[in-house]
Amino acid sequence: MKKRILLTYATYGNGHRAVAQYIESYFKEQDPELEILAIDLLKYSTPLIGRLSQKITDFFLLKFPTGWSIIYNLFDSRISSAIASTASMSVFQNKYMRKVIKDFNPDIVYSEFNISAIIASKLENKPLYTTISYPTQTEYASNPKYAKGVNKFLKENNLPEVNSTLDLFNWAEKSFVPSIYELEPIDKEDVTFCGTWKDLDFQSIPNEDDKNNDSKKKDNVILVYMGNGTISANKMLKEIKDAFLGGEYEVYIASLSLEKQDYDNIHVNNRWDFSKLFKNAVLFINHGGQNSVIDGLVYALCQIACVRQNLYYSHNR
């Protein structure tokens, strides 16, 4: 009988969707006989709200990036934590999520940073694996007062209450950190540090024993990826053009908020295959995201990280 894995994620943030795809590909490579169901819980559990909110997000990202930045920063606050807690409760109570577990009957539920999937897996008594990071740990930061509604739901369903919603990540039988201990020092049992999720081009990764390390190839590439909500896309583009336009470096900017365009040596597109560009890169400018930082370290790149001032702190619950 084929083993089944339910892989859950939400599309807010391209990183989570991309990671889910990497994980699915890895599982299939390891065992082609595995039956894997990857679902976007936001669209599956709340199809109307999920699709509508995603369309609104895409509109602001692509057509009105400055407005998106304002909304993002507005919701990155303690006020939004209460809103998020209320929204999470509606998802926790959504029957679609438990229904997919019952219908698919997986051997394992894998949650890509998705708290609602964690609760649903426990309600259906399914083994749970999850992705975590240091900012998802209460040791980093938490606001226990926002756990009131969650605890009400947990108590009603005979599940143990938590001090913080983030404590739910501790329910997993196995957790994976796509990073390294030196960056995210999590000292807990059943936690595995796995580094980058991506398939690596090992020929492109610098080797200190490689005699060609001082190679003749021209390293003149700068990569830029700022995620969503750190700096407005237009502001970022202006700063990059002021710094590098007409210079010696070929600059590749990946942004969903900007139209595809070439400005002399600066190239803008929704996506670039960074795995092919890393080997000629000298600098990686990014938003300080977990995946970006680790990719930069793997390829031994200098990095400039532009993070939100209150990154993760205020809305950790």
Side-chain angles (χ1 to χ4, degrees), residues 113 131-134 177-179 184 288-295:
F113 286 112
T131 307
I132 64 172
S133 64
Y134 188 53
V177 186
S179 182
E184 306 191 45
Q290 188 181 56
N291 298 322
S292 295
V293 170
I294 292 301
D295 288 344

Side-chain angles (χ1 to χ4, degrees), residues 32-48:
E33 295 299 314
L34 281 175
E35 189 173 348
I36 302 173
L37 177 61
I39 60 171
D40 175 358
L41 287 179
L42 184 68
K43 292 181 179 179
Y44 183 86
S45 298
T46 54
L48 180 60

